[in-house]
Amino acid sequence: MRWATVLLVAGLCGASLGQYNEEEDLAWLQYYMRQSRLNSYNYMPYYEDENAPYVYSYLPAPDGEAEGGPEAQQAPSRECPQECDCPPNFSAAMYCDTRNLRYLPFVPSRMKYVYFQNNQIAAVQEGAFDNATELEWLALHNNQITSEKMGKRVFAKLRNLERLYMNNNNLTKMPGPLPRSLRELHLSYNQISKVPSNALEGLENLTALYLSHNQIFEMGASLKGLKSLILADLSYNHLRKVPDGLPMALEQLYLEYNHINTIPDDYFRVSPKLLYVRMSHNSLTNQGLSTNTFNSSSILELDLSYNRLQKIPRVSTNLENLYLQGNQINEFSISSFCTVVDVMNYSRLQVLRLDGNEIKRNAVPPDAPLCLRRATIIEI
């Protein structure tokens, strides 16, 4: 086997490697993705206190008149707010994005997909969506919404809501209560400092949770009851310990750029489907890890770069990508990859990065080619 030191150029991608959506109308999805690419996440805080121009109270239809009949359809305010667009060929969608709005317009009852992103909305009044209880997608990202100006039960009646986008706002607390139907929760780029244990209670359908770029210092056991959770992004926070009780369905866990220094023994084994673990830029040391912390047979990619490790931790032979650059490792221990080295026992590792450590290139043991026979990139 020919061995060569190859510089790994490809960066790690924080995006989800798979989508877990039900079949949706592609027109709405394409519109949302197109807008996300066109608009950046920059925002200017807006704290001016102002009253909403709409009163969110609804009178029942008169007796004998069917709700939503021809006459009701002619009322322009209930058909579509003048600030927004409601395409006739997508009657359940309302586009109010990027219009310099400072308030939430009235939402007609037929709507399932509403887009308020890229505005200057600072408040979400109690009852704002009481008329539109069939909402499935609600996009409120890139606004100026604060926790103090959110109704306490503003989402309580949205029993069909699947996706809630509130990233890039000024939230300091977790919104709630949240509907049990929720499948994706986007809260990145806010100022949330704590996730109480009951903040995500009852969200058994949640598959993706995005809480990166906040100020979270404590998660507690808030993830424990999320039976369907596949992706948890908690990167760029102030966590000093890993969240308690990972869900069994979890496949992707992102904890990079925190202050974590220890991981309990068998922490990852409660999630037998876990594939990707990223914990770069933390404060991990070998003293804070047990012997088999990362020896989980399901993990395919493990990023421990830019920590304080002095030895290579033991990993499973099923691991394919291991990133350890930027640590303090001073020895190449083949036992970290193969407990037994022979023709039948070898590591599936393909990429190994050890550059930026204290280890020397001539420290590679002679049996390394036999153990790491599948490796195509080894950087020392």
Side-chain angles (χ1 to χ4, degrees):
M1 174 180 292
R2 181 182 177 185
W3 286 71
T5 301
V6 182
L7 179 62
L8 181 63
V9 178
L12 298 175
C13 177
S16 169
L17 300 178
Q19 295 295 324
Y20 303 94
N21 304 335
E22 299 292 340
E23 292 186 2
E24 299 285 353
D25 193 301
L26 288 179
W28 291 308
L29 179 59
Q30 290 170 357
Y31 179 90
Y32 173 75
M33 295 302 292
R34 186 163 61 250
Q35 290 300 109
S36 297
R37 288 193 295 268
L38 292 175
N39 298 287
S40 65
Y41 287 120
N42 296 327
Y43 64 90
M44 295 180 62
Y46 176 76
Y47 297 105
E48 182 179 344
D49 191 13
E50 57 181 333
N51 296 322
Y54 292 98
V55 177
Y56 299 106
S57 60
Y58 313 102
L59 297 176
D63 293 339
E65 180 179 336
E67 196 169 353
E71 293 186 6
Q73 292 288 338
Q74 295 174 3
S77 64
R78 290 181 179 269
E79 178 67 22
C80 185
Q82 62 180 357
E83 304 91 341
C84 308
D85 290 329
C86 305
N89 53 333
F90 303 127
S91 60
M94 186 172 81
Y95 302 106
C96 311
D97 52 301
T98 321
R99 293 159 200 257
N100 204 31
L101 296 179
R102 299 188 176 188
Y103 56 85
L104 282 173
F106 173 85
V107 183
S109 59
R110 72 177 186 277
M111 295 303 170
K112 293 185 178 180
Y113 309 89
V114 294
Y115 303 91
F116 296 114
Q117 71 269 26
N118 305 322
N119 284 295
Q120 299 181 41
I121 299 169
V124 182
Q125 295 86 352
E126 197 75 65
F129 308 113
D130 283 3
N131 185 59
T133 57
E134 300 300 315
L135 282 180
E136 295 180 14
W137 286 25
L138 178 54
L140 290 164
H141 53 289
N142 290 13
N143 278 288
Q144 312 299 330
I145 301 170
T146 64
S147 297
E148 291 73 21
K149 293 185 179 181
M150 277 193 63
K152 294 182 179 180
R153 298 185 59 82
V154 70
F155 304 120
K157 295 184 179 181
L158 303 182
R159 298 183 179 180
N160 295 316
L161 191 66
E162 293 185 356
R163 294 172 178 84
L164 176 59
Y165 300 86
M166 295 197 72
N167 40 301
N168 285 84
N169 277 284
N170 296 322
L171 299 176
T172 54
K173 299 178 182 179
M174 291 287 292
L178 296 168
R180 294 175 178 265
S181 56
L182 208 60
R183 298 186 67 236
E184 290 186 15
L185 179 58
H186 298 255
L187 293 170
S188 299
Y189 292 92
N190 277 285
Q191 302 166 27
I192 299 170
S193 60
K194 185 178 180 180
V195 181
S197 295
N198 62 347
L200 303 171
E201 188 175 4
L203 302 185
E204 296 185 359
N205 295 308
L206 194 69
T207 60
L209 174 64
Y210 299 91
L211 278 168
S212 68
H213 294 87
N214 275 281
Q215 301 172 17
I216 301 171
F217 64 90
E218 184 178 346
M219 285 290 298
S222 54
L223 302 181
K224 194 171 184 179
L226 305 179
K227 297 181 179 180
S228 302
L229 193 66
I230 293 172
L231 182 152
D233 187 355
L234 306 172
S235 58
Y236 292 88
N237 277 289
H238 302 314
L239 294 173
R240 294 190 175 275
K241 57 178 294 188
V242 290
D244 297 331
L246 294 181
M248 289 187 63
L250 195 65
E251 295 181 7
Q252 303 176 51
L253 178 62
Y254 304 134
L255 287 166
E256 60 263 41
Y257 288 92
N258 277 284
H259 306 295
I260 299 169
N261 53 25
T262 61
I263 302 176
D265 192 17
D266 295 331
Y267 177 71
F268 299 106
R269 296 200 177 192
V270 298
S271 302
K273 298 180 180 180
L274 192 60
L275 300 174
Y276 308 98
V277 177
R278 295 177 183 170
M279 299 193 68
S280 66
H281 296 272
N282 275 280
S283 303
L284 292 173
T285 65
N286 291 97
Q287 291 72 30
L289 305 175
S290 68
T291 305
N292 290 305
T293 298
F294 298 109
N295 192 10
S296 175
S297 60
S298 66
I299 300 177
L300 298 181
E301 179 179 290
L302 177 60
D303 186 357
L304 300 175
S305 58
Y306 301 99
N307 278 280
R308 301 175 185 175
L309 299 174
Q310 295 179 316
K311 296 181 180 179
I312 301 174
R314 181 176 295 177
V315 295
S316 168
T317 55
N318 292 324
L319 189 68
E320 295 180 357
N321 301 290
L322 177 59
Y323 303 96
L324 290 167
Q325 68 269 26
N327 278 280
Q328 302 168 16
I329 298 171
N330 54 27
E331 64 177 45
F332 194 114
S333 51
I334 200 65
S335 60
S336 297
F337 310 102
C338 301
T339 53
V340 177
V341 182
D342 57 31
V343 177
M344 299 301 295
N345 295 282
Y346 57 91
S347 171
R348 275 71 174 173
L349 203 66
Q350 299 175 19
V351 176
L352 173 61
R353 288 199 57 177
L354 285 166
D355 48 307
N357 280 280
E358 299 175 10
I359 192 171
K360 297 181 179 179
R361 295 185 180 182
N362 58 9
V364 179
D367 53 352
L370 187 59
C371 170
L372 303 175
R373 65 186 69 176
R374 288 196 175 182
T376 57
I377 297 176
I378 295 181
E379 178 67 17
I380 299 178

